[in-house]
Amino acid sequence: MPGFELFGPEEKQEVADVMENGFTFRYNFDHMRNDRWKTREMEQLLCEKMNVKHAHLLSSGTAALQTALAAAGIGAGDEVIVPPFTFVASVEAVFMAGAIPVFAEIDETLCLSPEGIEAAITPRTKAVNLVHMCGSMGKMDEIKAVCEKHDLVLLEDACQAIGGTYKGQALGTIGDVGCYSFDSVKTITCGEGGAVITNSDTIYNHTHMFSDHGHDHVGNDRGAEDHPIMGLNFRISELNSAMGLAQLRKLDTIIEIQRKHKKIIKDAISDIAEVTFRELPDAEGDSAGFLTFMMPTEERTIEINKKLAENGVDGCFYWYINNWHYLNNWKHIQELKSCSALPITLIDDRPDYTKVLVPKSDAIMSKTISMLIKLSWTEEEIAQRIENIKKAFA
């Protein structure tokens, strides 16, 4: 996910503007910053581009997830349905909130399935963390209907999917609250950063307070501000926001290039008989950061993944054995390993994560390969890549 591929003078100028004319702290110090408010400016641009009422920048995507859970009222003892295929942060944030991750099945969208969610609901279920993996969406109409039926908070982890849409609506804005990540290998980057987006005034107010030690941000005197709630420090700096502001202005161009490059490669390999592609509930809304396809068997998938590498096709991920993206390989999560006791260890009837079974997800992920789509490819490099892919299948 290639925001760093389009670094240029725009990012340098925004950062230099802070260093030369502004101040690095996102709040206050009005007399020192010469009206430079990069974080506010990026938040406003996010609201405009995503057509959402509120956006709040934070120090990372993980901070955004933990803040979103707290702001939506998810805490001690609450169950949160999560997918087995995601980045570990989606699950770690639930643990750190004092809540209980409950794993449910995915489908061929590579996201939680409506049926999987329904089957995992118990009287303690409070929320669903719907992760838009690899830049595309789940079956959002059906998933939203399940959440509304059971009065569950729908949190959209769109950390890999900024720029994607579903039926014209930005991913991350369909549920109650959404999250983006802006680390160095996301679609756009702040270097490190994240965002919570929502149309809820209550969730937004909790978000900006929780992420800054409970400050209510009323008035211009930080020392005189009230603290209606407790919180943590997940503030982003003006330097990170400055970089992200320049990147956000390039988002439409990035998505356009990704979609173009993906289409060329997908069209070229669509005649390979043993290849089937990931299900896209709204193909036009795919952010196109990855081209994901499935093979007939696990054995053939392993073979092709190896042959792709041997033929110089880089950036291919067999997630099923990836250390950070699939439940089977998360020994630290299965065994609740941390540097100190986690809140969940106080719950007597907590799940045994060493015995979680998700056979439908295993069947899908054991036959799935994702190819990274790069912005920097030339036409010649794309043509060579297609030739190398076909050699791998020959």
Side-chain angles (χ1 to χ4, degrees), residues 276-324:
T276 57
F277 295 103
R278 168 191 189 174
E279 181 181 353
L280 300 174
D282 181 0
E284 291 184 1
D286 178 22
S287 72
F290 292 89
L291 171 59
T292 298
F293 60 90
M294 287 82 167
M295 302 301 298
T297 66
E298 180 178 346
E299 293 74 21
R300 182 60 170 154
T301 310
I302 294 170
E303 180 184 12
I304 286 297
N305 192 57
K306 181 180 178 182
K307 287 188 174 183
L308 287 167
E310 290 173 349
N311 283 275
V313 184
D314 65 342
C316 295
F317 300 92
Y318 182 40
W319 303 114
Y320 193 57
I321 61 171
N322 182 282
N323 280 346
W324 295 106

Side-chain angles (χ1 to χ4, degrees), residues 19-45:
M19 296 302 296
E20 295 168 9
N21 304 294
F23 196 75
T24 57
F25 195 65
R26 73 153 293 172
Y27 296 112
N28 306 107
F29 295 91
D30 299 38
H31 64 289
M32 298 178 63
R33 63 197 316 132
N34 295 308
D35 205 30
R36 264 65 173 184
W37 300 92
K38 302 299 182 182
T39 304
R40 289 183 186 177
E41 196 172 348
M42 185 175 175
E43 288 169 346
Q44 180 59 40
L45 185 57

